Amino acid sequence: MSQNTQAQDFSSLHVPGRPLVLYNAWDASSAKAVAKAGATALATSSWSMARAQGYEDGENIPLEFALSLLGRITASNTLPVTHDFEAGYASDTGTLATNTERVIAAGAVGVNFEDGLPGGSGLQSVSSQTSRISAMRRAAEATGVPLFINARTDVFFQGSKPDDHPALMDDAKARLTAYAAAGADGIFFPGLITPDLIAEMCDASPLPVNIMQIGKAPDTPTLASLGVARISYGPAPFLSASASLTEAAQSAFGG
């Protein structure tokens, strides 16, 4: 299957009310395990990918290394792969465009692209992030691959608790509108777990909505009923696998 066909198939999997479920992987072996379980598409997790190689999240794993891992995942699987691109490893749009082309060259057909500043020091301005998304869109178009840009906004991750989220909705909606106009294909609201607010965002969004299955987030059937089109698991699969390995090792050591 060509990369273009994979990209088109991946986009078609985003259906409100019948969400694409992505159980995030971190290397070729974990991706194969997820594929074997019946996945229709694969996704990386930057947190998991970094931790698996001894790095902290936040673009601390070198881009070249991350792209090498991505290339092994795409080369050893036949499913479409979306890559957790963090903030694109670039402060300027020229480098961002080049890095986008490199992600596509590694075989990905989608990316998560966040507006959080590396190091967790706040968010890009709306105007800055729309310029960055537009640069990615132009770079993808130049390759001929219809890259699925899942615009992640960390509005609900800014040191807030669910009780604070209603006051953040206007900012989130403004970013949603701007990112859609800039060329994003999907919108990702990690940290948003309140059913009424999720439903409100789904109703307001012209783009498929992605919610992270983390903490006290609603289960898959509930998220589907709210209109969610994509569910991802972030670092949870890596944490689960690591805990299972520790437990098995403790048993082997007689613990």
Side-chain angles (χ1 to χ4, degrees), residues 18-40:
R18 188 159 51 87
L20 166 65
V21 177
L22 296 170
Y23 200 73
N24 302 72
W26 54 92
D27 60 12
S29 179
S30 58
K32 278 185 171 292
V34 173
K36 187 177 181 180
T40 55

Side-chain angles (χ1 to χ4, degrees), residues 66-77:
L67 292 177
S68 176
L69 294 170
L70 172 62
R72 288 308 309 146
I73 291 172
T74 60
S76 58
N77 285 280

Side-chain angles (χ1 to χ4, degrees), residues 16-238:
R18 188 159 51 87
L20 166 65
V21 177
L22 296 170
Y23 200 73
N24 302 72
W26 54 92
D27 60 12
S29 179
S30 58
K32 278 185 171 292
V34 173
K36 187 177 181 180
T40 55
L42 299 170
T44 66
S45 158
S46 66
W47 191 98
S48 305
M49 190 175 279
R51 284 296 183 96
Q53 303 301 326
Y55 295 94
E56 293 298 315
D57 194 23
E59 298 187 358
N60 286 302
I61 183 172
L63 177 60
E64 194 70 37
F65 194 4
L67 292 177
S68 176
L69 294 170
L70 172 62
R72 288 308 309 146
I73 291 172
T74 60
S76 58
N77 285 280
T78 58
L79 294 174
V81 177
T82 182
H83 181 57
D84 190 350
F85 197 27
E86 302 194 71
Y89 284 77
S91 58
D92 64 279
T93 56
T95 304
L96 176 60
T98 298
N99 290 346
T100 300
E101 293 170 354
R102 295 176 69 189
V103 169
I104 294 171
V109 298
V111 290
N112 273 0
F113 183 59
E114 63 196 52
D115 58 12
L117 295 170
S121 55
L123 303 180
Q124 294 276 357
S125 68
V126 174
S127 61
S128 173
Q129 190 67 357
T130 53
S131 295
R132 290 162 65 78
I133 292 171
S134 294
M136 293 180 69
R137 174 54 61 209
R138 291 192 298 270
E141 288 175 349
T143 70
V145 175
L147 185 74
F148 191 101
I149 300 174
N150 195 40
R152 166 177 157 165
T153 179
D154 284 357
V155 167
F156 300 108
F157 266 177
Q158 295 304 295
S160 64
K161 298 178 181 179
D163 287 348
D164 302 321
H165 289 175
L168 301 173
M169 291 291 283
D170 285 346
D171 187 6
K173 289 178 181 178
R175 289 177 180 271
L176 158 64
T177 300
Y179 298 170
D185 300 287
I187 186 74
F188 183 19
F189 299 112
L192 186 63
I193 63 171
T194 305
D196 288 349
L197 299 184
I198 293 173
E200 184 177 337
M201 293 307 304
C202 289
D203 289 342
S205 179
L207 302 177
V209 171
N210 183 183
I211 295 295
M212 185 182 291
Q213 183 55 258
I214 189 171
K216 296 182 179 180
D219 60 18
T220 294
T222 301
L223 289 174
S225 71
L226 298 174
V228 171
R230 172 168 164 168
I231 299 169
S232 51
Y233 278 73
F238 178 82

